[in-house]
Structures are given as C-alpha cells and as structure tokens.
Amino acid sequence: MVSKELPFTKTQIEEIVKTHPTPFHIYDEKAICDNAEDMKRAFSIVTGFKEFFAVKALPNPYILKILKEHGFGADCSSLPELLLAEKAGITGENIMFSSNDTPAKEFVKARELGAIINLDDISHIDVLEKATGLPDIVCFRYNPGPLKGGNEIIGKPEESKYGFTREQLFEGYEILKKKGVKRFGLHTMVASNELNVDYFVETARILFEAAVEISQKVGIDFEFINLGGGIGIPYRPEQERVSFDAVAAGVKKAYEDTIVKAGLHLPNVYFECGRVITGPYGYLVTKVRHLKHIYKDYAGTDACMANLMRPGMYGAYHHITVLGKEKMPSDHKYDVAGSLCENNDKFAIDRLLPKIERGDLLVIHDTGAHGYAMGFNYNGKLRSAELLLRDNGSVLKIRRAETVDDYFATLDLDGLKSFK
C-alpha cells in the first residue's frame, strides 16, 4: 500500500499562495531526482541501459534539464518537444524522435539535432529520405498486433494506429540495408499506466525474439532495442508501485535467454518512461470556491478539467487531500468539480472526504505527468502556473499562469475592426 503523504505542509502552501495564486501544479524536485537515481541503479544490470524521458508527460525544460543531469535523454514526438529538449541542452542521440503521421519538416529538425529517428510506418522511409536523406541510424516502431495484449488506456495493439507489422519489419530493414544504413534500432510501445511487472518482461521477450529473427534473416545487427514505456504508478492508496528491480531482473533474464543465447551482437536496452518518473511527484493545488447542496453535495474549486483532464477523460482516480484536515474522519461524500460547462468536469465523484468549507485548500495527487501537459482552453479557461519545490524548501516558478492576453494573442483583433 502506498502512503499518500505530501512533501509540504498547509502552512507552506498558505505562504506559497500569497505570491502564487491557486490553482497551480507543484513538483517535488528532490523526489524526482531520487526516483531517477533509483531507476538507474535498478537497471544498471541491463546491458547499455538508458532512459529517454517522455517529454509529453511533463513538457517543461526545467524538468528536462533536471533529468539530463541524471543522464536521461528525451523522447520527443513533435517539433515543439524537439525544441524543448534543445532548450534544455539535450541534443544528438540523447533524443529519440518517435512520432506518427509526421510532417517532413519535423524530420528535418530531428536530423539537425542529430536525434535518433524512430519511424512509425514503412512508407516513412521514403518520406525521410526525400526530406533529409537517410541518417546513419534508423529505428522502426513494432506493432506486435495480436501477439501482445493491450491495456485499458492504450487499447489492443491490433487496433492501434501505430507501428509496423512483423512482416513489414523484415521488408523495412531490407530496404534500409540496401540503401546503406549501417546502424539499426527496434522499438515498441504497447501499454500505458500498467502495474503488472510481467507485462514489461513479456514485451521485452517479444522484442528480443523479433530482433534475433530479423538479425539472422536480414543480416543486420541491432545497436539498441527500445522497450517503450508505460510503467504505471499507484494512483490509489491501496495499489503497489512497480518495482524497478523486478522489471530489470525480468528484462535481464529475457535478454540472456534470447539475445545472448543466439550469439548476437549485444544491443543496448532503452526505456522511454514518463509517468513513472515524475507522475507521483506533482500535485495540483486548488482552493474551494463554492459548496453546493442539491441532489448531491458538490465542492466547486478554482481548478477545472482544463488543469487536469484525466478524471474527466478516463474516469481516472486521483487521490485528494484536504489540507489541514488529514487526521479528520472522511465522513462526507462529495463530487469535487470545476467550473467548465461540462458535467464530466469532476476530479472525484462520490468521494468520501473530511467536511469541506469554502476557502479550504485541496491537493490533488499524482499530477506530475499528463496533468498540465493535457491542458486546454475550452470555455476560455486559462492554464495554471507550474512551480518547482526545491530541496531547500524554496519555490521556483517554472511556468507562469496564462493570462487573458495570452488567450487573445492568436486572434487578429485589428482585422476585426474592418470585418463586415
């Protein structure tokens, strides 16, 4: 069971709120760093291990720079994500560019940065070659289809828009070999927020077995095999966190049983996790604005689904703490809601919490991944600030809150004056 403790007190948050109005996301720098080091330690037993942090989980250059100091690369899937990595000082083969339906100009920028390009479809070989020429190293994303069961969030692989079929892998690597490419990678991504250790070990085994067969039939060596990401986090207090040590041990055994046993060149093993690196160490802090008592009791907050989409989109659970009332009995049932004109704008439904009063500060846990990143501006809602809680207790603003001027900045209001 995971303890849903906080790295700050009510008094600290009350001081922070004096200069940084709610709502805001706040990230625990020390916990992120400790977690990064724990992952590195656990996977040090795996050949050539490297983690490429999934930028989409928490796209902030301050976070990327912190993780860079721990030896992490960046997994990017768009031009802005490539630019974020560049601004954080992450370049070259420390970037894995894994996109889909990719514009040619994004391949150009990836090549300029020296990134490893991971192609999503066999037709993209030609697109990449025409846009930039083929680089020295190319990777393909494998969709194992019915060989691999999906999970609730990402769905069944055979119904996914991503990746090469098994047959296309052989054809694609033959094409690359004939065109003079010398270095090769293999990748997959088939799960999201998965808590079963065996799932990742099975994925590794499927990839390793595919690499053996491709190497032997096509006559190439793989420089790396990227196992993707998808390691989940315990959003609910009763859930257990995934053991990095258990995943690493299982991957190491699968590697030895397949790659080593086949006598192949020994490829490095990569991951591209996001959620498990930063997710548990981010918090959305919001203030209760109104209490409403109709057919149900509602606690209306100054945050909304624009600040955290997951509960409304997936029905996902996020734990909630009422600051200063942690030891009070949770004997009042609330829907905790925002102010969007959508009835799914709820952070919790029928949640038992201590009695809430107007002005109470709520902390919504586990928003350090796919929290701010999934924000939007429906109803003209403005996205919140992001803060970094430093090891010494100080707070750094790493993204300011949006303003009304930001919301209107993309409109041609001068042209409106003459519009008829």
Side-chain angles (χ1 to χ4, degrees), residues 6-208:
L6 296 171
F8 43 72
T9 64
K10 180 184 178 184
T11 300
Q12 285 177 289
I13 293 297
E14 286 173 336
E15 283 300 310
I16 292 168
V17 167
K18 290 178 182 178
T19 51
H20 304 287
T22 57
F24 54 78
H25 289 271
I26 185 167
Y27 310 117
D28 183 351
E29 181 180 10
K30 182 180 186 303
I32 290 172
C33 293
D34 289 347
N35 192 43
E37 286 300 312
D38 189 45
M39 178 183 238
K40 284 171 55 182
R41 175 201 57 75
F43 282 91
S44 64
I45 65 172
V46 175
T47 301
F49 176 77
K50 186 175 180 70
E51 154 70 3
F52 292 78
F53 177 71
V55 176
K56 62 179 173 287
L58 186 50
N60 189 296
Y62 286 82
I63 300 299
L64 299 183
K65 190 170 183 179
I66 289 168
L67 293 173
K68 176 180 179 288
E69 295 303 310
H70 292 272
F72 285 19
D75 169 64
C76 301
S77 58
S78 68
L79 178 59
E81 289 185 359
L82 287 169
L83 295 173
L84 280 172
E86 183 180 25
K87 290 181 184 300
I90 302 173
T91 58
E93 292 183 10
N94 288 312
I95 298 176
M96 185 78 61
F97 183 56
S98 299
S99 60
N100 67 93
D101 197 18
T102 309
K105 66 181 181 181
E106 298 195 359
F107 285 137
V108 172
K109 182 60 180 179
R111 283 296 309 276
E112 286 178 2
L113 290 175
I116 299 171
I117 295 177
N118 180 28
L119 296 181
D120 182 67
D121 186 70
I122 194 167
S123 68
H124 295 180
I125 298 172
D126 184 58
V127 174
L128 176 61
E129 185 173 29
K130 289 178 178 177
T132 71
L134 291 175
D136 292 336
I137 185 168
V138 179
C139 181
F140 291 156
R141 177 172 182 166
Y142 175 33
N143 181 333
L147 288 177
K148 181 69 178 172
N151 75 350
E152 187 175 46
I153 292 180
I154 209 165
K156 296 179 180 178
E158 64 266 33
E159 295 177 1
S160 166
K161 67 176 182 176
Y162 305 111
F164 288 57
T165 66
R166 188 176 182 86
E167 293 74 20
Q168 288 173 335
L169 288 179
F170 289 89
E171 181 183 355
Y173 287 117
E174 286 280 9
I175 292 170
L176 292 184
K177 182 181 177 183
K178 289 177 182 178
K179 289 181 176 291
V181 174
K182 303 295 185 184
R183 302 167 62 203
F184 305 92
L186 179 62
H187 164 274
T188 198
M189 178 70 185
V190 290
S192 181
N193 196 37
E194 178 60 54
L195 295 174
N196 183 357
V197 168
D198 294 338
Y199 191 97
F200 302 101
V201 177
E202 180 193 13
T203 298
R205 189 173 296 277
I206 288 172
L207 271 186
F208 296 157

Side-chain angles (χ1 to χ4, degrees), residues 42 75 94 107 113 145 190 215 222 242 265 278 314 381 396 401 405:
D75 169 64
N94 288 312
F107 285 137
L113 290 175
V190 290
S215 294
F222 284 100
V242 175
H265 165 81
T278 58
Y314 300 128
K381 297 300 182 181
L396 177 67
D405 287 341

Side-chain angles (χ1 to χ4, degrees), residues 226-276:
N226 186 337
L227 305 181
I231 297 178
I233 63 174
Y235 286 99
R236 296 177 179 272
E238 67 270 19
Q239 293 175 321
E240 297 289 343
R241 65 171 290 172
V242 175
S243 165
F244 287 151
D245 291 287
V247 176
V251 168
K252 182 176 188 292
K253 184 176 188 310
Y255 188 95
E256 292 171 347
D257 290 345
T258 53
I259 301 291
V260 175
K261 186 176 181 180
L264 298 186
H265 165 81
L266 301 181
N268 296 328
V269 177
Y270 298 158
F271 258 111
E272 57 180 45
C273 295
R275 185 190 318 266
V276 76

Side-chain angles (χ1 to χ4, degrees), residues 286-303:
T286 180
K287 185 175 289 186
V288 175
R289 181 186 283 157
H290 295 290
L291 292 168
K292 182 171 183 175
H293 309 285
I294 48 174
Y295 304 104
K296 305 178 75 171
D297 290 340
Y298 292 88
T301 69
D302 60 5

